[in-house]
Amino acid sequence: QVQLVESGGGLVQAGGSLRLSCANSGRTASSYAMGWFRQAPGKEREFVAVISWNGANTYYGDSVKGRFTISRDKGENTVFLQMNSLKPEDTAVYSCAAASLSRTWSRLTRANEYDYWGQGTQVTVSS
């Protein structure tokens, strides 16, 4: 069983940075592609970033490209989302998710391709 726990959210001023973490427990935790999604009040869930099981491949949503970086520490079974140059429109609940190896990489921008989800962490960016 995979359990995902996010941390690192909080309140930051526009232009600032935050680093989110997603701890992934379970015997086969390293065998999953990991993604980050976010959802602001009244809006649909939005794809943020994904990293392959071995860390070799990453992909970002257009709204965060060049500002956010996803990475993973396989030894610690943890995935990180470094968020720089934050904007008020980045305010949302950020959730990490795990997708099994049977999933198709090109479809991992879609939330329904993920098998496990964390509870989310709030990120608030003030102007």
Side-chain angles (χ1 to χ4, degrees), residues 5-9 19-23 36 78-81 96 121:
V5 179
E6 301 97 336
S7 60
R19 188 193 197 201
L20 304 183
S21 299
C22 173
W36 285 97
T78 301
V79 175
F80 304 98
L81 185 69
C96 67
T121 186

Side-chain angles (χ1 to χ4, degrees), residues 56-79:
N57 297 297
T58 59
Y59 187 73
Y60 298 90
D62 288 341
S63 62
V64 306
K65 204 170 294 183
R67 299 188 298 123
F68 291 10
T69 302
I70 189 171
S71 61
R72 68 189 303 162
D73 180 340
K74 293 191 68 179
E76 297 294 327
N77 290 332
T78 301
V79 175

Side-chain angles (χ1 to χ4, degrees), residues 44-109:
E44 293 188 354
R45 183 179 288 172
E46 178 187 10
F47 167 76
V48 175
V50 61
I51 188 167
S52 59
W53 69 273
N54 60 358
N57 297 297
T58 59
Y59 187 73
Y60 298 90
D62 288 341
S63 62
V64 306
K65 204 170 294 183
R67 299 188 298 123
F68 291 10
T69 302
I70 189 171
S71 61
R72 68 189 303 162
D73 180 340
K74 293 191 68 179
E76 297 294 327
N77 290 332
T78 301
V79 175
F80 304 98
L81 185 69
Q82 178 67 44
M83 306 186 296
N84 298 328
S85 302
L86 283 162
K87 305 174 182 179
E89 51 263 43
D90 293 319
T91 295
V93 174
Y94 285 70
S95 300
C96 67
S100 68
L101 293 180
S102 64
R103 302 294 189 179
T104 302
W105 172 256
S106 62
R107 297 173 65 88
L108 291 180
T109 59

